[in-house]
Amino acid sequence: MRVVSDVMTMDTNNVFTTKQALRQALDKHRTAGYSIGFVPTMGALHAGHGSLIERAAHENDVVVVSVFVNPAQFGPGEDFETYPRSLASDVSLATSFGATYVFAPSVDEMYSTARGAGASVASTRIVPSAVADLWEGALRPGHFEGVVLVVTKLLNSVCPHRAYFGEKDYQQLAVVRALAADLDLPVEIVGCPIVREADGLALSSRNVYLSDSERKVAQLLSQSIRLAQGQLQERQAIAADELISVVSDFLRDNSQGLLSIGYVAFVDADTLVPVEQVVPTTRMLLSVTVGTTHLIDNASLVA
Ligand code: AMP
Protein backbone atom coordinates (compact mmCIF):
# COMPACT_ATOMS: atom_id res chain seq x y z
CA MET A 1 0.00 0.00 0.00
CA ARG A 2 1.41 3.41 -0.95
CA VAL A 3 1.35 6.11 1.68
CA VAL A 4 -1.37 8.50 0.63
CA SER A 5 -1.41 11.29 3.17
CA ASP A 6 -4.97 12.44 2.51
CA VAL A 7 -6.50 8.98 2.78
CA MET A 8 -4.62 7.44 5.66
CA THR A 9 -6.93 8.42 8.50
CA MET A 10 -10.58 7.58 8.83
CA ASP A 11 -12.88 10.03 10.54
CA THR A 12 -16.54 10.65 9.99
CA ASN A 13 -15.59 12.25 6.68
CA ASN A 14 -14.39 8.87 5.60
CA VAL A 15 -17.72 7.13 6.14
CA PHE A 16 -19.99 7.60 3.16
CA THR A 17 -23.68 6.86 3.03
CA THR A 18 -24.34 7.98 -0.54
CA LYS A 19 -23.01 6.61 -3.80
CA GLN A 20 -22.37 10.12 -5.05
CA ALA A 21 -20.11 11.13 -2.14
CA LEU A 22 -18.24 7.83 -2.40
CA ARG A 23 -17.72 8.27 -6.14
CA GLN A 24 -16.47 11.82 -5.72
CA ALA A 25 -13.87 10.77 -3.16
CA LEU A 26 -12.72 7.77 -5.19
CA ASP A 27 -12.56 9.66 -8.48
CA LYS A 28 -9.82 11.87 -7.01
CA HIS A 29 -7.71 8.86 -6.09
CA ARG A 30 -8.33 7.14 -9.41
CA THR A 31 -7.28 10.28 -11.29
CA ALA A 32 -4.14 10.41 -9.15
CA GLY A 33 -3.35 6.88 -10.29
CA TYR A 34 -3.98 5.08 -7.00
CA SER A 35 -5.24 1.51 -6.95
CA ILE A 36 -8.52 0.75 -5.18
CA GLY A 37 -9.28 -2.46 -3.29
CA PHE A 38 -12.85 -3.27 -2.24
CA VAL A 39 -14.20 -5.55 0.49
CA PRO A 40 -18.00 -5.95 0.45
CA THR A 41 -19.49 -7.04 3.80
CA MET A 42 -22.76 -7.12 5.68
CA GLY A 43 -21.04 -5.71 8.78
CA ALA A 44 -20.72 -7.14 12.31
CA LEU A 45 -17.07 -7.31 11.36
CA HIS A 46 -14.77 -9.98 12.78
CA ALA A 47 -11.26 -11.23 12.09
CA GLY A 48 -12.48 -13.10 8.98
CA HIS A 49 -13.49 -9.79 7.40
CA GLY A 50 -10.28 -8.37 8.85
CA SER A 51 -8.15 -10.79 6.85
CA LEU A 52 -9.77 -9.56 3.62
CA ILE A 53 -9.31 -5.90 4.57
CA GLU A 54 -5.66 -6.46 5.54
CA ARG A 55 -4.98 -8.20 2.26
CA ALA A 56 -6.71 -5.42 0.33
CA ALA A 57 -4.63 -2.83 2.22
CA HIS A 58 -1.48 -4.77 1.38
CA GLU A 59 -2.26 -4.91 -2.33
CA ASN A 60 -3.90 -1.50 -2.94
CA ASP A 61 -3.39 2.21 -2.17
CA VAL A 62 -6.98 2.85 -1.13
CA VAL A 63 -9.36 0.35 0.51
CA VAL A 64 -13.14 0.64 0.59
CA VAL A 65 -15.17 -1.58 2.93
CA SER A 66 -18.91 -1.63 2.37
CA VAL A 67 -21.29 -2.41 5.21
CA PHE A 68 -24.72 -3.20 3.83
CA VAL A 69 -27.22 -5.82 4.96
CA ASN A 70 -28.74 -6.55 1.59
CA PRO A 71 -32.47 -7.35 1.76
CA ALA A 72 -32.39 -8.78 -1.76
CA GLN A 73 -30.36 -11.82 -0.69
CA PHE A 74 -32.56 -12.80 2.26
CA GLY A 75 -35.58 -15.04 1.73
CA PRO A 76 -38.91 -14.80 3.54
CA GLY A 77 -38.51 -16.00 7.13
CA GLU A 78 -34.72 -15.54 7.08
CA ASP A 79 -32.85 -13.25 9.49
CA PHE A 80 -32.79 -9.93 7.60
CA GLU A 81 -34.43 -7.99 10.47
CA THR A 82 -32.38 -9.61 13.24
CA TYR A 83 -29.03 -9.73 11.41
CA PRO A 84 -26.45 -8.11 13.77
CA ARG A 85 -25.84 -4.43 12.99
CA SER A 86 -23.00 -2.49 14.65
CA LEU A 87 -21.87 0.31 12.33
CA ALA A 88 -19.90 2.36 14.91
CA SER A 89 -17.70 -0.55 15.94
CA ASP A 90 -17.50 -1.74 12.30
CA VAL A 91 -16.02 1.63 11.32
CA SER A 92 -13.32 1.47 14.00
CA LEU A 93 -12.57 -2.21 13.26
CA ALA A 94 -12.40 -1.60 9.52
CA THR A 95 -10.00 1.30 10.19
CA SER A 96 -7.79 -0.79 12.40
CA PHE A 97 -7.59 -3.49 9.72
CA GLY A 98 -6.51 -0.87 7.15
CA ALA A 99 -9.65 0.48 5.47
CA THR A 100 -9.51 3.97 4.01
CA TYR A 101 -13.25 4.43 3.59
CA VAL A 102 -16.42 2.73 4.82
CA PHE A 103 -19.45 2.84 2.54
CA ALA A 104 -22.62 2.28 4.55
CA PRO A 105 -25.67 3.11 2.41
CA SER A 106 -29.27 2.74 3.56
CA VAL A 107 -31.56 0.33 1.71
CA ASP A 108 -33.28 3.34 0.10
CA GLU A 109 -29.97 4.76 -1.09
CA MET A 110 -28.86 1.43 -2.47
CA TYR A 111 -32.14 0.66 -4.23
CA SER A 112 -33.22 4.25 -4.92
CA THR A 113 -34.46 3.35 -8.39
CA ALA A 114 -36.97 0.78 -7.05
CA ARG A 115 -40.42 1.67 -8.34
CA GLY A 116 -43.93 0.36 -7.98
CA ALA A 117 -46.06 -1.25 -5.32
CA GLY A 118 -44.06 -3.47 -3.01
CA ALA A 119 -40.80 -2.77 -4.85
CA SER A 120 -37.91 -2.71 -2.43
CA VAL A 121 -35.01 -3.66 -4.68
CA ALA A 122 -34.06 -2.88 -8.26
CA SER A 123 -36.49 -3.90 -10.98
CA THR A 124 -33.64 -5.10 -13.20
CA ARG A 125 -32.71 -8.73 -12.56
CA ILE A 126 -29.41 -10.47 -13.15
CA VAL A 127 -29.57 -14.24 -13.61
CA PRO A 128 -26.48 -15.77 -11.98
CA SER A 129 -24.54 -18.62 -13.57
CA ALA A 130 -25.83 -22.19 -13.19
CA VAL A 131 -23.44 -22.76 -10.29
CA ALA A 132 -25.93 -20.68 -8.27
CA ASP A 133 -28.66 -23.31 -8.74
CA LEU A 134 -26.78 -25.83 -6.60
CA TRP A 135 -26.36 -26.17 -2.80
CA GLU A 136 -27.10 -22.84 -1.02
CA GLY A 137 -28.96 -21.70 -4.12
CA ALA A 138 -31.26 -24.71 -3.91
CA LEU A 139 -31.78 -24.28 -0.15
CA ARG A 140 -32.27 -20.51 -0.37
CA PRO A 141 -34.14 -19.72 -3.61
CA GLY A 142 -33.32 -16.22 -4.87
CA HIS A 143 -30.31 -15.83 -2.57
CA PHE A 144 -27.66 -15.65 -5.27
CA GLU A 145 -29.86 -13.43 -7.49
CA GLY A 146 -29.77 -10.97 -4.59
CA VAL A 147 -26.02 -11.42 -4.21
CA VAL A 148 -25.15 -10.79 -7.87
CA LEU A 149 -27.47 -7.77 -7.97
CA VAL A 150 -25.87 -6.05 -4.99
CA VAL A 151 -22.32 -7.06 -5.92
CA THR A 152 -22.80 -5.59 -9.41
CA LYS A 153 -24.24 -2.39 -7.98
CA LEU A 154 -21.47 -2.06 -5.39
CA LEU A 155 -18.77 -2.75 -7.96
CA ASN A 156 -20.28 -0.07 -10.20
CA SER A 157 -20.22 2.44 -7.34
CA VAL A 158 -16.68 1.67 -6.19
CA CYS A 159 -15.08 0.68 -9.54
CA PRO A 160 -12.24 -1.08 -7.71
CA HIS A 161 -9.18 -2.63 -9.30
CA ARG A 162 -9.57 -5.65 -7.02
CA ALA A 163 -12.45 -7.03 -4.94
CA TYR A 164 -11.91 -9.46 -2.07
CA PHE A 165 -14.23 -12.34 -1.16
CA GLY A 166 -13.82 -15.09 1.45
CA GLU A 167 -13.66 -18.80 0.68
CA LYS A 168 -15.92 -19.09 3.75
CA ASP A 169 -18.72 -18.51 1.23
CA TYR A 170 -17.17 -20.79 -1.35
CA GLN A 171 -20.18 -20.99 -3.65
CA GLN A 172 -20.65 -17.20 -3.48
CA LEU A 173 -17.03 -16.78 -4.59
CA ALA A 174 -17.67 -19.10 -7.56
CA VAL A 175 -20.87 -17.22 -8.46
CA VAL A 176 -19.08 -13.85 -8.26
CA ARG A 177 -16.13 -15.09 -10.32
CA ALA A 178 -18.57 -16.23 -13.02
CA LEU A 179 -20.44 -12.89 -12.83
CA ALA A 180 -17.23 -10.89 -13.32
CA ALA A 181 -16.00 -13.12 -16.16
CA ASP A 182 -19.33 -13.39 -17.99
CA LEU A 183 -20.14 -9.67 -17.80
CA ASP A 184 -16.54 -8.55 -18.48
CA LEU A 185 -16.48 -6.59 -15.23
CA PRO A 186 -13.16 -4.73 -15.10
CA VAL A 187 -12.15 -6.03 -11.68
CA GLU A 188 -9.89 -8.77 -10.35
CA ILE A 189 -11.79 -11.07 -7.99
CA VAL A 190 -9.49 -12.24 -5.19
CA GLY A 191 -10.45 -15.27 -3.05
CA CYS A 192 -9.15 -15.35 0.55
CA PRO A 193 -8.79 -18.33 2.93
CA ILE A 194 -11.22 -19.07 5.79
CA VAL A 195 -10.33 -17.66 9.22
CA ARG A 196 -11.32 -20.01 12.06
CA GLU A 197 -11.62 -19.92 15.86
CA ALA A 198 -9.01 -21.92 17.79
CA ASP A 199 -11.47 -24.85 17.99
CA GLY A 200 -12.00 -24.83 14.22
CA LEU A 201 -15.34 -23.01 13.94
CA ALA A 202 -15.26 -20.69 10.92
CA LEU A 203 -15.79 -17.08 12.01
CA SER A 204 -19.21 -15.81 11.01
CA SER A 205 -21.35 -12.83 11.99
CA ARG A 206 -24.12 -15.36 12.68
CA ASN A 207 -22.09 -17.16 15.39
CA VAL A 208 -23.40 -14.58 17.92
CA TYR A 209 -26.82 -16.24 17.62
CA LEU A 210 -25.48 -19.51 19.11
CA SER A 211 -26.19 -20.48 22.74
CA ASP A 212 -23.37 -22.19 24.67
CA SER A 213 -24.67 -25.66 23.90
CA GLU A 214 -25.26 -24.78 20.22
CA ARG A 215 -21.76 -23.29 20.02
CA LYS A 216 -20.33 -26.68 21.10
CA VAL A 217 -22.44 -28.48 18.50
CA ALA A 218 -21.25 -26.02 15.84
CA GLN A 219 -17.75 -27.43 16.29
CA LEU A 220 -19.01 -30.57 14.56
CA LEU A 221 -18.69 -28.76 11.21
CA SER A 222 -14.91 -28.44 11.30
CA GLN A 223 -14.62 -31.80 13.06
CA SER A 224 -16.48 -33.47 10.21
CA ILE A 225 -14.11 -31.83 7.72
CA ARG A 226 -11.18 -33.31 9.63
CA LEU A 227 -12.98 -36.67 9.71
CA ALA A 228 -13.33 -36.67 5.92
CA GLN A 229 -9.71 -35.54 5.46
CA GLY A 230 -8.53 -38.34 7.76
CA GLN A 231 -10.54 -41.01 5.92
CA LEU A 232 -9.12 -39.85 2.63
CA GLN A 233 -5.56 -39.92 3.93
CA GLU A 234 -5.99 -43.62 4.67
CA ARG A 235 -7.54 -44.54 1.31
CA GLN A 236 -6.59 -41.94 -1.39
CA ALA A 237 -10.04 -42.18 -3.03
CA ILE A 238 -13.47 -42.94 -1.54
CA ALA A 239 -16.93 -43.18 -3.10
CA ALA A 240 -18.72 -39.90 -2.35
CA ASP A 241 -21.90 -41.71 -1.21
CA GLU A 242 -19.93 -43.62 1.40
CA LEU A 243 -18.21 -40.50 2.75
CA ILE A 244 -21.51 -38.57 2.82
CA SER A 245 -22.97 -41.35 5.02
CA VAL A 246 -19.95 -41.37 7.35
CA VAL A 247 -20.07 -37.58 7.81
CA SER A 248 -23.88 -37.41 8.10
CA ASP A 249 -23.88 -40.18 10.74
CA PHE A 250 -21.12 -38.38 12.65
CA LEU A 251 -23.09 -35.12 12.62
CA ARG A 252 -26.36 -36.79 13.68
CA ASP A 253 -24.80 -39.00 16.37
CA ASN A 254 -23.04 -36.10 18.10
CA SER A 255 -25.49 -33.23 17.78
CA GLN A 256 -27.87 -33.98 20.69
CA GLY A 257 -30.71 -33.18 18.33
CA LEU A 258 -29.56 -29.55 17.99
CA LEU A 259 -28.35 -29.80 14.39
CA SER A 260 -30.15 -30.49 11.14
CA ILE A 261 -28.26 -31.11 7.92
CA GLY A 262 -28.89 -28.98 4.83
CA TYR A 263 -26.35 -30.86 2.77
CA VAL A 264 -23.04 -32.69 2.99
CA ALA A 265 -21.50 -32.50 -0.48
CA PHE A 266 -18.28 -33.50 -2.21
CA VAL A 267 -17.83 -31.43 -5.34
CA ASP A 268 -15.48 -30.45 -8.12
CA ALA A 269 -13.61 -27.42 -6.73
CA ASP A 270 -14.31 -25.28 -9.82
CA THR A 271 -17.75 -26.31 -11.08
CA LEU A 272 -19.20 -27.34 -7.67
CA VAL A 273 -20.82 -30.32 -9.42
CA PRO A 274 -20.93 -33.41 -7.18
CA VAL A 275 -18.18 -35.99 -7.76
CA GLU A 276 -18.58 -39.77 -7.57
CA GLN A 277 -15.09 -40.43 -6.26
CA VAL A 278 -13.67 -38.17 -3.56
CA VAL A 279 -9.99 -37.37 -4.08
CA PRO A 280 -7.74 -34.83 -2.29
CA THR A 281 -8.57 -31.97 -4.68
CA THR A 282 -12.31 -32.46 -4.10
CA ARG A 283 -14.05 -29.66 -2.16
CA MET A 284 -16.26 -30.60 0.77
CA LEU A 285 -19.29 -28.35 1.33
CA LEU A 286 -21.42 -28.38 4.47
CA SER A 287 -24.61 -26.57 5.33
CA VAL A 288 -26.44 -27.10 8.62
CA THR A 289 -28.86 -25.41 10.95
CA VAL A 290 -27.90 -25.39 14.63
CA GLY A 291 -30.92 -24.41 16.67
CA THR A 292 -32.27 -21.76 14.31
CA THR A 293 -28.86 -20.58 13.03
CA HIS A 294 -27.80 -21.33 9.49
CA LEU A 295 -24.09 -22.23 9.27
CA ILE A 296 -21.92 -23.20 6.32
CA ASP A 297 -18.36 -24.45 6.03
CA ASN A 298 -16.13 -25.97 3.38
CA ALA A 299 -12.60 -27.19 2.78
CA SER A 300 -10.29 -28.81 0.36
CA LEU A 301 -9.67 -32.42 1.39
CA VAL A 302 -5.91 -32.12 1.25
CA ALA A 303 -5.29 -32.63 4.99
P1 AMP B 1 -20.46 -11.24 5.14
O1 AMP B 1 -20.35 -9.99 5.95
O2 AMP B 1 -20.79 -12.45 5.96
O3 AMP B 1 -21.33 -11.07 3.94
O4 AMP B 1 -19.00 -11.54 4.58
C1 AMP B 1 -18.30 -10.57 3.85
C2 AMP B 1 -17.09 -11.22 3.24
O5 AMP B 1 -16.25 -11.74 4.27
C3 AMP B 1 -17.45 -12.40 2.33
O6 AMP B 1 -16.62 -12.39 1.18
C4 AMP B 1 -17.18 -13.59 3.22
O7 AMP B 1 -16.86 -14.77 2.51
C5 AMP B 1 -15.99 -13.10 4.02
N1 AMP B 1 -15.86 -13.86 5.27
C6 AMP B 1 -16.83 -14.02 6.21
N2 AMP B 1 -16.38 -14.84 7.19
C7 AMP B 1 -15.11 -15.19 6.86
C8 AMP B 1 -14.12 -16.04 7.45
N3 AMP B 1 -14.34 -16.69 8.59
N4 AMP B 1 -12.94 -16.17 6.81
C9 AMP B 1 -12.71 -15.53 5.64
N5 AMP B 1 -13.60 -14.73 5.02
C10 AMP B 1 -14.78 -14.56 5.62
Side-chain angles (χ1 to χ4, degrees):
M1 184 178 193
R2 250 185 292 180
V3 176
V4 185
S5 58
D6 59 337
V7 296
M8 285 306 287
T9 53
M10 180 180 301
D11 51 31
T12 48
N13 293 333
N14 292 357
V15 179
F16 298 115
T17 56
T18 67
K19 299 174 225 177
Q20 195 194 6
L22 175 74
R23 280 212 188 100
Q24 265 171 10
L26 293 177
D27 279 351
K28 274 194 298 185
H29 300 307
R30 213 173 285 109
T31 309
Y34 295 134
S35 59
I36 299 172
F38 176 44
V39 181
T41 82
M42 294 205 301
L45 299 187
H46 50 64
H49 301 110
S51 69
L52 274 58
I53 300 169
E54 283 172 350
R55 174 135 178 218
H58 186 68
E59 296 178 353
N60 302 274
D61 302 313
V62 174
V63 175
V64 180
V65 174
S66 64
V67 173
F68 180 63
V69 184
N70 174 33
Q73 70 189 70
F74 287 77
E78 292 187 356
D79 56 344
F80 172 69
E81 276 84 14
T82 54
Y83 196 85
R85 288 164 171 88
S86 51
L87 184 59
S89 76
D90 286 346
V91 170
S92 59
L93 271 174
T95 310
S96 67
F97 288 125
T100 319
Y101 298 116
V102 171
F103 178 48
S106 66
V107 171
D108 282 350
E109 168 67 14
M110 206 54 208
Y111 292 112
S112 54
T113 57
R115 294 280 180 275
S120 59
V121 300
S123 51
T124 299
R125 297 275 173 268
I126 302 175
V127 180
S129 98
V131 75
D133 297 338
L134 303 163
W135 316 120
E136 284 305 286
L139 276 189
R140 304 177 65 189
H143 170 65
F144 286 119
E145 282 81 349
V147 169
V148 293
L149 181 65
V150 81
V151 167
T152 305
K153 287 167 68 65
L154 288 167
L155 288 173
N156 283 337
S157 290
V158 179
C159 301
H161 296 83
R162 300 178 190 85
Y164 296 80
F165 292 84
E167 287 185 352
K168 160 75 173 33
D169 300 278
Y170 193 79
Q171 187 177 8
Q172 171 174 277
L173 176 59
V175 167
V176 169
R177 281 194 197 286
L179 172 79
D182 288 341
L183 300 189
D184 304 311
L185 301 182
V187 60
E188 181 190 342
I189 303 298
V190 182
C192 303
I194 301 176
V195 177
R196 296 177 180 279
E197 302 277 12
D199 66 6
L201 180 66
L203 295 185
S204 164
S205 304
R206 290 192 166 99
N207 291 350
V208 297
Y209 297 148
L210 299 169
S211 68
D212 289 349
S213 50
E214 290 168 350
R215 175 67 184 72
K216 286 202 185 81
V217 167
Q219 286 180 32
L220 294 172
L221 285 170
S222 58
Q223 288 172 1
S224 64
I225 289 172
R226 284 198 292 280
L227 173 67
Q229 288 170 333
Q231 299 257 323
L232 199 60
Q233 250 182 341
E234 284 166 22
R235 297 187 25 206
Q236 299 310 312
I238 306 179
D241 287 347
E242 184 187 334
L243 205 47
I244 290 170
S245 299
V246 169
V247 170
S248 303
D249 289 348
F250 171 77
L251 287 170
R252 278 192 211 102
D253 293 348
N254 293 285
S255 68
Q256 298 139 33
L258 291 175
L259 177 150
S260 67
I261 298 174
Y263 52 82
V264 174
F266 294 94
V267 305
D268 178 279
D270 295 320
T271 63
L272 273 56
V273 169
V275 297
E276 281 180 18
Q277 287 292 313
V278 179
V279 295
T281 53
T282 301
R283 199 86 190 180
M284 176 173 177
L285 304 179
L286 289 171
S287 177
V288 303
T289 302
V290 177
T292 56
T293 304
H294 185 62
L295 297 175
I296 55 174
D297 202 348
N298 71 88
S300 152
L301 291 177
V302 184

